Amino acid sequence: MLQSEVKYCIRCGTELESAYHMGKERPTCPNCGWMYFPDPKVAAAVLIERNKEKVLLVRRVNSPKKGFWTLPAGFIDAGEDPARAAERECLEETGLVIKATEILDIISGQEHSRGAHIVIVYRGEVISGQLRAADDVDRARFFDKNQLPPIAFNATRKILNQYLNN
Ligand SMILES: [Zn+2]
């Protein structure tokens, strides 16, 4: 019995079987030989500070960690530049047009079943726009660094602990 979300060959529709290949049991098509290699889900996040005192956070409307706060972030589309993904997600969630200026960190380790396996974290600068929450967050605001709200994820906590300017 295969423990995989993919049950049928995406090329020919035959039910997949397990076959040992490259060090692992992998879902494999007995008809055409297609093999399922799961790809990591990759997200981009952005750390935006204001006057070295405040940091931009957004409040999640989806489970898990609904009502908890995190950095503006989202999945990178196939073929999309990660920096553009960070800028796009920030605009969608906060209304702010930003520029991703440098990579701060790359975090691995999926924290929940619908989460990313890899998060590329940028520092960003606000270019324009009006702060307003949308998309999959219901609030977006700058918090004083000494008075942060409940934080959603370990990855968010790590970034805030390590990279906030003092
Ligand atoms: Zn097949």
Side-chain angles (χ1 to χ4, degrees):
M1 197 46 200
L2 286 173
Q3 298 300 313
S4 167
E5 68 271 36
V6 177
K7 304 286 185 221
Y8 298 94
C9 178
I10 64 165
R11 283 196 186 145
C12 76
T14 305
E15 192 167 0
L16 297 175
E17 295 175 355
S18 188
Y20 192 79
H21 183 71
M22 290 171 69
K24 259 187 174 177
E25 293 286 329
R26 300 178 190 277
T28 304
C29 178
N31 181 50
C32 77
W34 179 81
M35 199 170 289
Y36 174 55
F37 290 91
D39 293 317
K41 292 170 76 168
V42 187
V46 64
L47 180 70
I48 294 172
E49 297 176 87
R50 176 185 277 172
N51 303 330
K52 299 194 172 184
E53 288 169 6
K54 290 174 184 285
V55 59
L56 178 62
L57 296 173
V58 295
R59 192 168 73 172
R60 293 172 55 80
V61 294
N62 295 320
S63 289
K65 296 291 180 181
K66 177 178 156 78
F68 287 72
W69 296 77
T70 190
L71 300 174
F75 290 113
I76 300 169
D77 285 333
E80 186 178 30
D81 184 300
R84 302 294 86 76
E87 293 165 353
R88 173 181 57 73
E89 289 288 346
C90 190
L91 177 62
E92 287 172 8
E93 293 184 348
T94 73
L96 297 181
V97 176
I98 63 134
K99 178 166 178 51
T101 54
E102 62 170 324
I103 293 175
L104 287 182
D105 209 338
I106 297 175
I107 295 177
S108 68
Q110 194 185 32
E111 291 196 48
H112 60 93
S113 63
R114 283 181 296 166
H117 299 89
I118 296 168
V119 184
I120 302 173
V121 186
Y122 290 87
R123 190 180 291 286
E125 286 171 10
V126 176
I127 294 168
S128 62
Q130 285 285 328
L131 194 57
R132 55 110 193 89
D135 200 33
D136 43 14
V137 304
D138 66 352
R139 294 187 71 189
R141 56 165 282 202
F142 282 89
F143 283 89
D144 192 290
K145 289 173 186 177
N146 300 317
Q147 292 179 308
L148 295 176
I151 299 299
F153 301 116
N154 293 332
T156 318
R157 219 167 279 120
K158 176 181 189 248
I159 293 300
L160 294 173
N161 287 339
Q162 261 183 271
Y163 297 105
L164 286 180
N165 283 313
N166 286 309

